[in-house]
Structure formats: C-alpha cells, structure tokens
Amino acid sequence: MGHCIFCSIIDREAEASIVYEDGRTAAFMDIRPFTPGHLLVVPKTHAANLAELAPADGGAMFQVGQRLAEALRSSEVAAEGVNLFLADGVIAGQEVFHVHLHVIPRTAGDGFGLRGRPTNPPREDLDYLAASVRGRLG
Ligand code: AMP
Ligand code: ZN
C-alpha cells in the first residue's frame, strides 16, 4: 500500500481535528464539509473499499457513526437531522481509498441532497433485482 491520507491521520502524521477514537476506529472533521460539522468515521485497519473491509470493522464504523449522529444533535453543530453516506468505488464518488462513513448534519434548506428518483417502478423489476442480489449473498 502506498501513501494513504487517512492512515496518516490515524498515525498522527497528518493534521486532523479528531472527534473520537477507539481500538478499531477513528472519527475526524471533513476538510471539505457538505455542511458544517460533517464528520468521517474510518476503520484503523486500512481497507480500500467495502470488499476489503472486515465485517467487524464495518460494524464498528457504523456504531460509531450512530453515536456521533446522536452527539451531533445535542452539540453546538446545527443538526436537525443526519445523513450517513458511504461511497464505494470511483463511480460512486469515492475519492479517498480508505473506507469511510460520512456523518452529515442536516438542517432545513441546507441544499445538500441526492438527485430525484422514480417512484413506484414495476414490482416485477424490484423482485427481479432482489432475487439477483439475494443469490449472491452466499
Ligand atoms: P469520498 O468522496 O467519499 O471518498 O470522500 C472523501 C472525503 O474525504 C471528502 O469529503 C474529503 O473532503 C475528505 N478528506 C480528504 N482529505 C481529508 C483530510 N486530510 N482530512 C479530512 N477530510 C479529508
Ligand atoms: Zn489507509
């Protein structure tokens, strides 16, 4: 593995505003926040993407995200709601290849959002795709 900015942050070799850490995870402020207070939670063991991520690290990352979401709501960060977001792969918008969970505080009119989507696609289409994914769960 070459240089990884999030590994450098975990190792205290790169600057970061760290909010939380435990044996498995660390959380710090995003330097290009979607909204003020935007945090990232990362596993301490480097994993480039979900395929490389140990399930226990994924579970720990989500649990920390859940705790941070609660903390944000009662902190001085304006947070009437929270989005959890994870980009896996370039096409999904992943820019840093060390898995991370975005914890994004939300307020009315903050402008953050995903694009529109169709409502009520045919049930047979939903069933077909559900079966395809189900078949790969192992
Ligand atoms: P993604 O597009 O999901 O890969 O998100 C990468 C995120 O990492 C972006 O929101 C960046 O702003 C953030 N980021 C990149 N470098 C740093 C850094 N040194 N400290 C904190 N956040 C960073
Ligand atoms: Zn890393």
Side-chain angles (χ1 to χ4, degrees):
M1 182 192 61
H3 170 77
C4 170
I5 183 62
F6 290 173
C7 283
S8 298
I9 287 173
I10 291 162
D11 293 341
R12 300 292 200 278
E13 290 164 0
E15 188 181 32
S17 299
I18 295 183
V19 175
Y20 176 83
E21 82 176 311
D22 59 29
R24 263 185 204 280
T25 65
F28 48 87
M29 307 307 293
D30 194 302
I31 50 165
R32 272 193 304 142
F34 283 121
T35 61
H38 176 179
L39 304 165
L40 300 173
V41 188
V42 299
K44 284 190 168 174
T45 300
H46 181 88
N49 49 43
L50 287 178
E52 288 184 10
L53 182 67
D57 280 344
M61 185 172 67
F62 187 88
Q63 286 184 26
V64 172
Q66 198 176 1
R67 285 181 62 193
L68 287 169
E70 189 179 347
L72 275 173
R73 283 169 176 268
S74 58
S75 74
E76 288 172 64
V77 171
E80 296 159 16
V82 173
N83 279 120
L84 300 181
F85 174 74
L86 190 153
D88 188 51
V90 173
I91 202 70
Q94 186 175 5
E95 292 178 354
V96 176
F97 290 86
H98 179 134
V99 173
H100 49 280
L101 181 66
H102 296 261
V103 183
I104 305 165
R106 299 298 311 277
T107 52
D110 63 19
F112 177 78
L114 302 174
R115 66 178 169 78
R117 57 208 163 119
T119 46
N120 293 325
R123 177 59 58 192
E124 65 204 58
D125 290 1
L126 298 176
D127 284 346
Y128 180 86
L129 295 175
S132 176
V133 177
R134 198 184 306 124
R136 306 301 298 212
L137 280 174

